[in-house]
Structure formats: structure tokens, C-alpha cells
Amino acid sequence: MNAELWIQGLVAMCIGMGTVLSFLCLMIVAMNVMSAVVRKLNVIFPELVPQVAGAKKTTSSNDEEIAVAILSAMFKG
């Protein structure tokens, strides 16, 4: 009787793991198909990016302010 329980447990485990494995494989296939469809749709309907005329990007360096903040934090405590 003990061997029968082991066999039933192994069968249930195999069925469960097979179900999960088949679902994961199906999900991977579905994701690849959706990726291909979206790639094709992006070629047909490209997303328009708004262009801002005359906008200049300026970068400012806050290195001095950061150094002062670090020093004040170090000597505060």
C-alpha cells in the first residue's frame, strides 16, 4: 500500500509539473508572437516623436554643491 501512495504522488507531481511546463512554453510562444506583431505594427504605424524647434539642452554641474553637502554632513555629527 505504501508503494501505491508513492506512485500516485509521483503521477500527481508529473501531471502538475507537466501542466506548468506546458503553460510556460505556451506563454513564451505567445510572447514571441506578440513581439513580432508589435514589431510589424511599428513599421506600419510608426510613433511620431514631437520635435521642439530651437530648444537647447543645458547641463549644469552641481559638483561644488554636492561636495559642500558631503563635507557638512561629515563634520555635523
Side-chain angles (χ1 to χ4, degrees), residues 27-73:
M27 188 172 65
I28 289 171
V29 169
M31 286 174 41
N32 286 331
V33 168
M34 286 190 323
S35 175
V37 168
V38 168
R39 209 174 304 122
K40 293 288 183 184
L41 286 175
N42 280 336
V43 170
I44 297 171
F45 304 109
E47 183 176 342
L48 299 176
V49 178
Q51 298 292 328
V52 179
K56 295 182 180 178
K57 293 183 179 179
T58 58
T59 58
S60 61
S61 176
N62 296 338
D63 291 338
E64 294 175 0
E65 294 176 8
I66 293 172
V68 169
I70 291 172
L71 285 173
S72 66

Side-chain angles (χ1 to χ4, degrees), residues 17-32:
M17 293 185 84
T19 302
V20 170
L21 180 66
S22 62
F23 173 76
L24 290 176
C25 290
L26 180 66
M27 188 172 65
I28 289 171
V29 169
M31 286 174 41
N32 286 331

Side-chain angles (χ1 to χ4, degrees), residues 1-21:
M1 180 137 167
N2 195 11
E4 291 177 19
L5 288 176
W6 274 99
I7 292 172
Q8 287 178 357
L10 287 174
V11 168
M13 182 185 72
C14 289
I15 290 172
M17 293 185 84
T19 302
V20 170
L21 180 66

